[in-house]
Amino acid sequence: MMKTALGMDIGGTKIRGAIVSEDGSLLDIKEIPTEARFGGEHVLTQLKALIDQLMHKEICGIGIGTAGQVNLNGEILSATDTFPNWSGIALQKRLEIGYQLPVRVVNDVQAMALGELHFGEGKMVKDFICLALGTGVGGAVVAEGKLIRGSNGAAGEIGHMTIREGGRKCPCGKKGCLEAYASGSALLDLYKERTSVSKTGPEIFNSALNGELNAHTIINEYISNLVTGIASLAAIFNPTKVILGGGVADALDVYLAGINTEVKQKVSDAAGLNLTIVKSKINGGIIPLGAASLVF
Ligand SMILES: [Zn+2]
């Protein structure tokens, strides 16, 4: 019989959980609000409630992809202000004790990368990079078929790569990070600063397509900054693919060909030869899939 595991995705607004079979089928998906503002212990309670809904006796383990940085023992190292007291929670250990099953925990974009590696865009390639363009900018690097976790689990924090010394302030407290230019929030902030009008991401993209000059300029700058980030990554890792995910990636569809061209112009021939920038195809389920792959 094929093995099944639980794959959980702990995000800022909701926790998504799935029963995943070894061949990458999502057998059941359920969601519960994260309610992160009530603190880390509350998030853990929500997580357990969702696990209990999905759990059955054939489950061989629980894999988790969560917001925040996770060390190699499955403890939360740090998280953004939207996740108070999530940092410090020994998630892996507490769930292992509670459920008497193998539990593995990684950062959510690292789980996305594992999902792509085993079941998605990364299946046929050994070297690729995932970039999650949402409220923030998350990243994960797969090199020679292996997810790079680093000495403390925090490798691939691509959003906090400096692309402009002394540049815009990043939520992490530093200045000039890629996230300060290439996140969905950065896009909204830039638009508001320039026009004094608040628009949502999809509205800004629509305005640009309808020929509004401000929106058009801001999207072009956004893409140019994203390209700068991708070009640096290409120079370091020589990946075959850069896989874009997250809310902004959907809106970038019409710009994808242009992004590919711009990146190729910025990198060496060797770095650009095999490189394509693509969009993740398994929306919604990729993090649970990758998380579950940790316990198969
Ligand atoms: Zn930063």
Side-chain angles (χ1 to χ4, degrees), residues 16 49 63 75 91 99 112-113 124 140 150 156 189 201 229 238 242 247 252-253 263 267 292:
R16 182 177 284 155
E75 297 163 4
L91 193 53
Y99 291 97
M112 172 192 169
M124 309 302 281
D189 291 349
N238 188 199
V242 174
L252 286 176
D253 244 354
V263 168
V267 299

Side-chain angles (χ1 to χ4, degrees), residues 159-160 170-174 177 179:
H160 304 292
C170 180
C172 77
K174 288 197 307 169
C177 297
E179 177 164 312

Side-chain angles (χ1 to χ4, degrees), residues 63-75:
I64 296 173
T66 175
Q69 295 179 326
V70 182
N71 74 11
L72 301 176
N73 300 319
E75 297 163 4

Side-chain angles (χ1 to χ4, degrees), residues 93-112:
K93 198 169 154 199
R94 291 182 62 178
L95 292 177
E96 273 179 345
I97 291 168
Y99 291 97
Q100 295 294 309
L101 281 173
V103 176
R104 293 288 301 280
V105 187
V106 293
N107 160 269
D108 50 4
V109 189
Q110 292 177 351
M112 172 192 169

